[in-house]
Amino acid sequence: MWHNLAKETPMEIVLLWIGRLAGLGGLALCAWAIYNRLNGSYFAGGFQVGTLLQAGTTAMLVACFCLLLALTNRRQR
């Protein structure tokens, strides 16, 4: 992964990092929402738990699209 960094274009690098960060953020948000719901709470941080779960799922979907775009736009090497 790190040894190919010089061969990648700047846009690929940006898409990879956006995908990684959005995926980790979405996973953390979903885990927090599920944890709060299992503890019997319907609200967490001023938001409904379902809204947080949906936002986390959306963040993971954005991460998948960014990583897929970075993967499909690679040049043939």
Side-chain angles (χ1 to χ4, degrees):
M1 173 173 64
W2 296 105
H3 63 282
N4 289 334
L5 202 57
K7 297 178 184 177
E8 295 175 344
T9 63
M11 190 62 187
E12 284 180 1
I13 295 170
V14 169
L15 284 171
L16 286 172
W17 278 106
I18 289 173
R20 291 171 185 160
L21 293 175
L24 287 174
L27 182 65
L29 194 57
C30 284
W32 185 47
I34 291 170
Y35 172 77
N36 280 313
R37 185 61 200 112
L38 289 175
N39 282 335
S41 176
Y42 288 101
F43 291 93
F47 295 100
Q48 287 186 0
V49 173
T51 302
L52 295 175
L53 187 62
Q54 192 171 19
T57 304
T58 303
M60 287 191 285
L61 181 66
V62 167
C64 288
F65 281 135
C66 287
L67 293 174
L68 182 65
L69 188 59
L71 181 66
T72 57
N73 282 339
R74 288 191 176 181
R75 293 184 223 145
Q76 296 294 330
R77 293 182 180 122

